Amino acid sequence: MLRPLFLLFLVPGCAVLDAEHRLERERFDRVVVSNDGRWTVGVRPDTAPPLNEPFELLLAVEPTDGSRAGLAEVSIDVDCTMPQHGHGMNVLPEVERIGPGRFVVRGLEMFMEGGWLVTIDITLGPETERTQWWVEPK
């Protein structure tokens, strides 16, 4: 009985590793798994964003199960906030789809030193899942 249960836990972990490795092979600097584990997001570049200057990110979104299902329909919303200060950016970034599950986000601008929380909401049909990570502009 333990063997089937073990395999159930092993397979999803392998799929996440496959999605992460695929994004690493595409040279994404940061690979983040969404909060509920359904999506893997690749981010490029993963350097400190410039302080008080517009910048852009290339994002890749892939299902962690390795299926690549829904990539043509998936959409994203991007925001950056400073939760400790109770504010976000002064600009609304522009998201452009450049392929299935591939996006360029332009017009991001962090106007203040300190920790910023980058938030990507990934939507497919009626379900939305969040991915987040911290950055500090330089």
Side-chain angles (χ1 to χ4, degrees):
M1 284 188 121
L2 289 178
R3 182 176 269 159
L5 289 174
F6 175 73
L7 290 176
L8 287 175
F9 290 112
L10 178 64
V11 172
C14 289
V16 170
L17 289 176
D18 287 344
E20 287 179 15
H21 288 130
R22 186 170 37 253
L23 294 175
E24 288 169 0
R25 282 192 304 271
E26 288 185 45
R27 299 182 189 250
F28 283 92
D29 304 315
R30 178 187 296 252
V31 177
V32 184
V33 176
S34 60
N35 293 348
D36 286 335
R38 183 175 177 194
W39 300 99
T40 303
V41 177
V43 182
R44 185 174 38 209
D46 186 34
T47 57
L51 180 62
N52 228 6
E53 291 180 30
F55 66 97
E56 66 182 46
L57 293 175
L58 177 63
L59 300 174
V61 176
E62 301 234 342
T64 55
D65 67 7
S67 69
R68 302 179 61 86
L71 289 182
E73 295 84 28
V74 71
S75 64
I76 64 169
D77 289 306
V78 180
D79 197 12
C80 300
T81 59
M82 292 189 89
Q84 299 88 339
H85 294 267
H87 66 75
M89 298 182 299
N90 291 329
V91 295
L92 186 62
E94 176 187 316
V95 176
E96 177 186 354
R97 178 187 305 275
I98 58 172
R102 301 300 187 263
F103 303 90
V104 174
V105 182
R106 295 182 180 92
L108 296 160
E109 188 172 342
M110 298 174 180
F111 61 88
M112 190 175 182
E113 291 182 353
W116 286 79
L117 186 62
V118 178
T119 302
I120 311 293
D121 286 335
I122 305 160
T123 302
L124 181 61
E127 296 181 10
T128 299
E129 195 166 316
R130 181 162 281 182
T131 303
Q132 298 173 298
W133 67 92
W134 289 95
V135 297
E136 287 199 34
K138 303 286 180 201

